[in-house]
Amino acid sequence: MTWLLNNGELIGQLVVAHLLISLPPIILSFVISVPIGWVANRYRWSRGTLLTVLGLLYAIPSLPLFIILPLVLGTGLRDSINLVVALTLYGIALMVRTTADGLASVDPGIRQSATAVGFSERSQFFRVDLPLAGPVLLAGIRVVAVSTISLTTVGAVIGVDSLGALFTDGFQRGIAAEILTGIVLTIIIALSVDGLLVLLGRVLMPWVAVNSGRVARRELRRARGPVTA
Amino acid sequence: MIEFRGVTKQFPDGTLAVKDFSLVLPSRKTTVLVGSSGSGKTTLLRMINRMVDPSSGYIEIDGEDTSHLEPVALRRRIGYVMQNSGLLPHLKVIDNVATVPVLNGVAKKQARADALHLLDTVGLDRTLADRYPSQLSGGQQQRVGVARGLAADPNILLMDEPFGAVDPIVRAELQTELIRLQRELDKTVVFVTHDIDEAFLLGDQVVILEKGGRIAQVGSPAEILAAPANEFVATFIGADKGKRALSIRNTPTGDILVDSEGRPAGVLVGETDVVAR
Ligand SMILES: Nc1ncnc2c1ncn2[C@@H]1O[C@H](COP(=O)(O)OP(=O)(O)OP(=O)(O)O)[C@@H](O)[C@H]1O
Ligand SMILES: [Mg+2]
């Protein structure tokens, strides 16, 4: 406990560093997966290859990746960019398949109706397919977010600051409180970002709750008044 | 005027959906394509707005070969209503109706204001404007579908079994509404159904189709009823049985009409040029 009180400032810095490392890969893997998912869906022959190859990215162990990336990117061995890029690759590996599946899940009847009233291919993608794939995309990005926030801690091994530094430092100096703080804070950040994504989904896709009948049930409960039993 | 000229459609898998189909659909009239499942009705309809392109032959709209027109632009000036409304589930009713004008570049505010008027036109309460399609009944959804089809004020309205999925009472209501709308708006309507009663009720021109889009008979409902072209048409319209094969029976209290089973079906009223023999 005293360790925690004495190191408030350090902990604060590491939380910020952790977020700065983990948020860009979450956003990037979403943004990059959308066009790839579109291609996989639009050109059926590319689907199998694309999804398999990109899915395999996840199988690359992180340590060799941290050695290869500086060579490819021309960055320093301890540059945080390496970590951001590595996490983005893992994020894409998870997100591309979800995106392709989400786009494929859009009701063909609705797509035909959109074509019939005169959506161009482009406007149909952005105004019909993408929003309707939204719930699946949200589910996918939540997994990516939690996994990225947890994976960010491996940066400690190559000396990039994050909450992971609390594990390595705690182990070396045998401070259990430090290790525990690192674990708990990582979980708290993961849960908070996940919660924010859920909220964002509610705001951006108000129709999901309506169509699933959740809103109707809520209104029904309200109309009935408080349950007395 | 819409004109099919020797139109054939063979799908990539080899299905010959429509074979050498020629027909004139007069302007400001309702033409109903009626036929059993798989007779090529939807394919014919979709060739008008180029959702499906003919394998050979061509289609003219007001003398213009549609194959020279840009499909997206063409579709935006042709209304389309389909069976399960086809409304976009993530847009509110008002935005569904405003879809095409917004695509055409009309300002969203203006398009929404116009959409409210269209709700009036199709007999929907404006309070429904902010609902999502899933919060409407099937009949209401179809009305929204019709409103959306009318939103860009198209000359042509294509309707693919628009009332096929609602119960008979609502269907009758929607049919009456469509007749009223058509009187007010004067569109060129192409209506697809497999219900011959609906075809006779709505059609100025009725086209009875056999497999492969083969025309069994074209004519006004009266012409077809009076002189079915062949056995197929007679059977299809039920001219030989049930409520269409009416005859006059003299009863002590007056003349009545009876169906083929001898059940009373109605009475003759007003002036009639039929002489009971
Ligand atoms: N995209 C397609 N690919 C292959 N065959 C098709 C396609 N669309 C339709 N067909 C076939 O073409 C024929 C005509 O189909 P169409 O949908 O035009 O019939 P329909 O008269 O509208 O039938 P229904 O009353 O069931 O809607 C059918 O045999 C159908 O299986
Ligand atoms: Mg059909």
Side-chain angles (χ1 to χ4, degrees):
Chain A
M1 206 59 203
T2 41
W3 179 89
L4 203 61
L5 293 175
N6 292 336
N7 292 279
E9 199 180 331
L10 170 72
I11 293 171
Q13 280 168 6
L14 290 179
V15 167
V16 172
H18 199 100
L19 283 172
L20 287 179
I21 298 282
S22 54
L23 292 185
I26 298 172
I27 296 165
L28 282 173
S29 52
F30 181 83
V31 172
I32 295 171
S33 295
V34 167
I36 302 178
W38 177 81
V39 171
N41 225 34
R42 178 71 175 69
Y43 305 98
R44 278 299 149 100
W45 49 265
S46 70
R47 188 185 165 94
T49 321
L50 266 180
L51 298 189
T52 308
V53 169
L54 290 173
L56 280 175
L57 281 178
Y58 208 79
I60 306 174
S62 52
L63 286 179
L65 197 57
F66 290 142
I67 295 163
I68 299 167
L69 279 177
L71 296 176
V72 177
L73 302 171
T75 43
L77 208 55
R78 317 203 135 212
D79 200 324
S80 64
I81 301 234
N82 301 327
L83 186 54
V84 171
V85 172
L87 292 173
T88 303
L89 290 178
Y90 289 138
I92 292 173
L94 291 176
M95 196 58 199
V96 161
R97 182 171 290 276
T98 313
T99 309
D101 288 348
L103 291 172
S105 74
V106 177
D107 178 353
I110 290 169
R111 306 193 69 240
Q112 282 193 349
S113 139
T115 308
V117 301
F119 278 89
S120 63
E121 199 176 345
R122 185 193 164 86
S123 53
Q124 180 162 327
F125 179 75
F126 285 108
R127 297 197 211 177
V128 181
D129 297 352
L130 202 55
L132 289 180
V136 179
L137 298 186
L138 176 64
I141 203 64
R142 287 176 64 189
V143 174
V144 170
V146 171
S147 122
T148 303
I149 288 166
S150 141
L151 279 175
T152 297
T153 55
V154 303
V157 185
I158 52 166
V160 177
D161 269 352
S162 72
L163 288 171
L166 296 180
F167 308 161
T168 42
D169 192 65
F171 271 119
Q172 271 159 20
R173 294 164 52 196
I175 308 174
E178 189 174 3
I179 300 172
L180 201 63
T181 305
I183 293 173
V184 170
L185 282 179
T186 307
I187 293 173
I188 289 176
I189 291 181
L191 290 179
S192 312
V193 170
D194 188 53
L196 281 176
L197 285 173
V198 172
L199 276 181
L200 193 68
R202 293 231 176 109
V203 173
L204 292 179
M205 304 182 284
W207 46 275
V208 173
V210 173
N211 293 355
S212 68
R214 237 183 296 159
V215 166
R217 281 199 296 277
R218 198 189 309 145
E219 275 167 8
L220 197 66
R221 266 201 304 276
R222 202 174 296 150
R224 278 191 191 139
V227 182
T228 48
Chain B
M1 190 175 78
I2 305 170
E3 188 165 3
F4 285 83
R5 291 174 175 263
V7 171
T8 294
K9 177 64 194 182
Q10 181 157 31
F11 284 104
D13 67 357
T15 312
L16 192 59
V18 172
K19 197 179 158 206
D20 195 23
F21 182 90
S22 295
L23 180 73
V24 174
L25 294 79
S27 289
R28 301 175 194 288
K29 296 273 185 257
T30 301
T31 296
V32 179
L33 306 177
V34 58
S36 41
S37 195
S39 54
K41 307 180 293 293
T42 298
T43 306
L44 283 167
L45 201 68
R46 290 187 170 175
M47 286 196 281
I48 297 174
N49 74 352
R50 295 202 55 189
M51 285 175 75
V52 173
D53 280 322
S55 316
S56 66
Y58 60 98
I59 294 157
E60 285 182 353
I61 295 179
D62 296 328
E64 212 173 353
D65 182 347
T66 54
S67 65
H68 302 320
L69 301 173
E70 210 278 308
V72 171
L74 177 69
R75 287 173 205 143
R76 287 186 194 171
R77 62 184 182 89
I78 296 180
Y80 197 103
V81 186
M82 52 203 266
Q83 182 167 32
N84 289 311
S85 83
L87 297 175
L88 300 176
H90 61 303
L91 298 185
K92 291 179 176 172
V93 164
I94 186 93
D95 293 315
N96 261 292
V97 177
T99 304
V100 185
V102 167
L103 284 173
N104 278 331
V106 175
K108 203 158 188 172
K109 209 169 151 197
Q110 179 65 45
R112 281 188 172 162
D114 297 343
L116 278 181
H117 285 289
L118 274 165
L119 291 185
D120 302 340
T121 308
V122 298
L124 277 176
D125 199 294
R126 289 187 174 202
T127 54
L128 300 179
D130 282 329
R131 296 219 192 153
Y132 288 95
S134 67
Q135 295 172 297
L136 302 183
S137 72
Q140 289 169 329
Q141 289 183 23
Q142 287 313 122
R143 284 174 195 259
V144 177
V146 173
R148 179 175 70 168
L150 294 171
D153 196 20
N155 292 325
I156 298 173
L157 192 58
L158 308 180
M159 308 182 88
D160 194 350
E161 302 196 37
F163 312 143
V166 294
D167 70 63
I169 294 170
V170 175
R171 187 180 314 148
E173 216 173 274
L174 291 169
Q175 288 165 343
T176 316
E177 285 281 296
L178 183 64
I179 293 169
R180 175 186 64 79
L181 270 178
Q182 175 61 347
R183 257 203 310 271
E184 285 171 19
L185 302 173
D186 242 6
K187 306 284 181 195
T188 305
V189 178
V190 190
F191 192 104
V192 163
T193 180
H194 51 236
D195 176 354
I196 187 67
D197 293 318
E198 187 168 64
F200 283 161
L201 178 66
L202 300 175
D204 297 307
Q205 169 173 266
V206 172
V207 184
I208 298 180
L209 296 169
E210 291 181 52
K211 268 240 151 351
R214 214 174 71 221
I215 298 179
Q217 188 168 7
V218 187
S220 70
E223 285 163 0
I224 295 176
L225 266 173
N230 53 37
E231 204 58 28
F232 174 82
V233 175
T235 313
F236 192 79
I237 66 176
D240 52 346
K241 60 176 198 307
K243 63 185 165 97
R244 282 216 204 283
L246 302 179
S247 51
I248 298 173
R249 181 185 293 169
N250 310 103
T251 72
T253 45
D255 293 347
I256 61 164
L257 290 172
V258 294
D259 67 16
S260 61
E261 322 272 78
R263 281 187 295 256
V267 288
L268 280 171
V269 292
E271 293 288 311
T272 159
D273 45 9
V274 180
V275 182
R277 270 169 293 185

